[in-house]
Amino acid sequence: MELQQLFQTVGGAVLSGSSSMAITGLEYHSQRIQPGHVFFAIHGFREDGLSYVADAASRGAVAVVSEAAAPENLAPGISSWVRVPDARRALALASCRFYGNPSGEIPLVGITGTNGKTTVSFLIASVLEQAGMRPALIGTLGNRLRFSGRPVQVATPQTTPESLDLQRLLREAIDHRGAAAVMEVSSHSLVLDRVSGCRFHTALWTTFSRDHLDFHESMENYFLAKQKLFLPSENGPAPRYAILNADDDRIDAVRKLTPAQVISFGMKPRADVSASQWNCSPARLEMTIQIPAGPMEIESPLTGAHNACNLLAAVAACIALEVPAEHIQEGLRSVTVPGRMEPIDEGQPFAVMVDYAHTDEGIRTLVATAREWTKQGRLTIVFGCGGDRDRSKRPLMGQAAAECDRVILTSDNPRTEDPVQILNDVRVGLQKGSANYLVEQDREAAIRQALLDARAGDTVLIAGKGHETWQIVGQDRMPFDDREVAGRILREMGFSPADRK
């Protein structure tokens, strides 16, 4: 592809220098540059890409894209400079063009929402697997593709990959006979143009509650960011279908704004996909749901009212994708989601669950779910709050956790903040909620205390990290997996799978 072709869809792009040179690739990280690449010098939150132009040139870059004007003297080897109004958006649109607009070749499902994105994406992907569509799964737990028929997991530092990485993943999925893609779409990615240029077949909104205000600054900005997924823009059309939560009036109001065909879901009968009856235990959830075609029986190893709603959301999306009912039923029956209400069972006479809940609404939902089967025993929660993130949600999380019989407050990725200050922020909410709590900063010691104190019939919730296998302290990422730690402690306590009745 020639340089001038690459920017035909990028409004406001001004090329200086040669425009007909052949381009071999795109990159926004100078250390990954190969000869013939175009380097996108993006002004980030911590560093300015312009500082790396010389490094990119030394590695073989032939052109630079920037919001800044070209300098009088270009670095050796740089033949062209492309000035654009927005470098992130230019990267997204150029990436789409370079990889042949892969999202237009397969149905792409985008899932946004404060909670439930990962679970719903796994549910939909499981159904599409049953339908033989070999879907790519892109999100918080990494990116799963199928190469030569075998699943391959590709790690990602973000819920939604940077636009260039995303388009590359979609092209790889198609090249390996993938016939669909399911992707978590974070509010950050919508603001930062990571999905600009994507053609979504179906967009789904799970829930909306307080989160990420350190980035968005207000709930209104947060809402408007997520709403972008359902509206047309200069970079692409609206999705064909919008799957909206009818139980949340604010989300449901988006139906008036989106030109997409709306399919609603929810526990209330007014939704297009709703639950007429359901029953859950710690190990299973069974539901009779109403869909436009009539009643459908489904069951899942996921449990709790929030997962009942997640299941309805997934069914609604699969209806939009025209998946046969038998594939929907089998896909929901066989799914597992790491770190989401994941049981830790070493034969102990009390329940232990690890979950990713890291917002006040997530904690509240987790606690309410556990109450459903903890009728006689006590409910204990171990949790903390992340550092370098929205401080205002910490006391709210404390208040939500106070609904438990016992709370053990601990550290959860303090990052560069003082762990004691984080704990003190949460204590405000615990005290307001009159919680029975203790503080143990060491996370492993906190988990150990909760398990040692547990009695038959109790439930112990370990919240906040879920699937994560690390603890971030300062700039260091140290190995730590709540699931592994809890299992090991239970075995040290003398329990074993052989003890199961």
Side-chain angles (χ1 to χ4, degrees):
M1 177 177 290
E2 294 184 352
L3 183 66
Q4 60 184 353
Q5 295 175 310
L6 190 64
F7 291 92
Q8 287 177 351
T9 59
V10 180
V14 178
L15 280 69
S16 302
S18 175
S19 61
S20 59
M21 68 178 69
I23 299 304
T24 61
L26 317 180
E27 194 48 75
Y28 58 90
H29 195 302
S30 66
Q31 293 184 354
R32 295 197 290 258
I33 288 287
Q34 298 291 324
H37 279 192
V38 177
F39 176 58
F40 286 75
I42 295 174
H43 188 81
F45 294 105
R46 297 180 180 176
E47 296 182 281
D48 188 344
L50 286 173
S51 302
Y52 296 90
V53 169
D55 184 52
S58 71
R59 298 172 187 271
V62 295
V64 173
V65 181
S66 172
E67 294 166 15
E72 290 187 9
N73 298 311
L74 297 179
I78 301 297
S79 303
S80 297
W81 191 279
V82 186
R83 189 176 188 182
V84 294
D86 187 318
R88 289 185 182 276
R89 185 172 301 150
L91 175 63
L93 299 180
S95 299
C96 288
R97 188 162 181 80
F98 185 81
Y99 285 104
N101 297 303
S103 63
E105 298 182 29
I106 57 175
L108 174 62
V109 181
I111 303 164
T112 197
T114 308
N115 297 304
K117 294 188 297 296
T118 300
T119 297
V120 173
S121 69
F122 267 70
L123 289 167
I124 296 172
S126 179
V127 170
L128 297 182
E129 284 278 6
Q130 291 296 324
M133 297 178 71
R134 301 163 58 94
L137 178 58
I138 300 170
T140 304
L141 302 190
N143 307 313
R144 191 183 71 195
L145 308 178
R146 279 194 174 275
F147 294 158
S148 302
R150 60 187 178 86
V152 175
Q153 198 80 4
V154 182
T156 178
Q158 302 152 324
T159 295
T160 309
E162 187 55 75
S163 58
L164 173 60
D165 305 317
L166 172 59
Q167 297 305 321
R168 186 185 293 124
L169 281 167
L170 292 174
R171 175 50 60 196
E172 287 181 332
I174 293 170
D175 289 347
H176 288 84
R177 299 189 292 116
V182 183
M183 176 171 62
E184 295 181 52
V185 182
S186 68
S187 56
H188 291 66
S189 72
L190 289 160
V191 171
L192 298 175
D193 285 302
R194 292 179 194 153
V195 297
S196 289
C198 285
R199 301 299 194 259
F200 288 96
H201 177 281
T202 299
L204 188 155
W205 194 332
T206 57
T207 64
F208 181 71
S209 59
R210 186 186 190 93
D211 202 10
H212 303 306
L213 297 194
D214 53 312
F215 179 80
H216 296 289
E217 297 183 346
S218 71
M219 289 290 285
E220 188 61 26
N221 288 344
Y222 182 35
F223 184 84
L224 292 174
K226 289 190 172 297
Q227 184 177 277
K228 291 175 67 175
L229 182 60
F230 300 85
L231 304 177
S233 72
E234 59 180 316
N235 301 326
R240 187 182 306 176
Y241 290 93
I243 313 300
L244 301 176
N245 189 339
D247 293 341
D248 187 314
D249 290 338
R250 190 160 191 187
I251 294 175
D252 193 45
V254 176
R255 71 165 62 233
K256 298 178 181 178
L257 302 175
T258 180
Q261 182 176 335
V262 173
I263 301 177
S264 63
F265 68 92
M267 303 300 285
K268 299 175 183 176
R270 66 189 178 101
D272 297 318
V273 179
S274 63
S276 58
Q277 61 181 9
W278 60 286
N279 178 60
C280 73
S281 69
R284 201 144 200 87
L285 191 154
E286 298 174 342
M287 300 174 67
T288 301
I289 66 173
Q290 298 297 324
I291 63 174
M296 177 188 289
E297 302 293 329
I298 62 173
E299 59 180 284
S300 171
L302 306 180
T303 189
H306 65 299
N307 277 322
C309 199
N310 288 335
L311 287 160
L312 295 173
V315 170
C318 291
I319 289 172
L321 293 163
E322 300 182 356
V323 180
E326 61 268 24
H327 294 318
I328 295 176
Q329 292 169 310
E330 184 55 37
L332 301 182
R333 185 181 299 119
S334 59
V335 73
T336 58
V337 187
R340 270 58 176 180
M341 290 294 288
E342 185 171 347
I344 308 301
D345 186 359
E346 296 292 341
Q348 75 277 0
F350 49 88
V352 179
M353 294 280 181
V354 170
D355 193 79
Y356 189 54
H358 61 284
T359 66
D360 57 302
E361 184 61 30
I363 293 287
R364 191 172 293 109
T365 300
L366 176 65
V367 172
T369 297
R371 281 288 186 204
E372 295 173 11
W373 64 72
T374 313
K375 301 298 185 182
Q376 305 298 324
R378 301 168 303 166
L379 184 57
T380 298
I381 188 168
V382 179
F383 86 108
C385 292
D388 299 336
R389 297 294 186 268
D390 178 17
R391 287 186 63 183
S392 63
K393 74 177 183 180
R394 293 172 186 170
L396 300 177
M397 290 177 65
Q399 280 186 267
E403 296 299 318
C404 290
D405 300 305
R406 191 160 185 254
V407 178
I408 302 180
L409 178 61
T410 190
S411 284
D412 181 351
N413 296 332
R415 299 183 176 87
T416 63
E417 274 196 76
D418 177 5
V420 175
Q421 180 59 58
I422 298 173
L423 297 174
N424 286 339
D425 288 344
V426 183
R427 287 170 69 142
V428 173
L430 290 171
Q431 292 167 356
K432 188 173 182 179
S434 301
N436 172 24
Y437 76 95
L438 63 86
V439 177
E440 173 50 72
Q441 184 175 323
D442 183 279
R443 192 171 182 91
E444 179 167 343
I447 294 172
R448 184 180 300 277
Q449 187 67 54
L451 299 179
L452 287 172
D453 291 346
R455 302 192 297 247
D458 287 357
T459 297
V460 176
L461 305 174
I462 305 171
K465 298 182 71 62
H467 65 281
E468 293 179 353
T469 57
W470 61 83
Q471 177 85 309
I472 306 174
V473 181
Q475 300 293 341
D476 298 325
R477 179 174 292 208
M478 300 175 293
F480 194 98
D481 187 327
D482 283 350
R483 298 163 297 180
E484 186 278 327
V485 170
R488 171 167 49 80
I489 293 171
L490 288 169
R491 292 190 296 274
E492 289 172 359
M493 292 169 61
F495 297 114
S496 103
D499 297 331
R500 297 190 188 108
K501 298 292 186 181

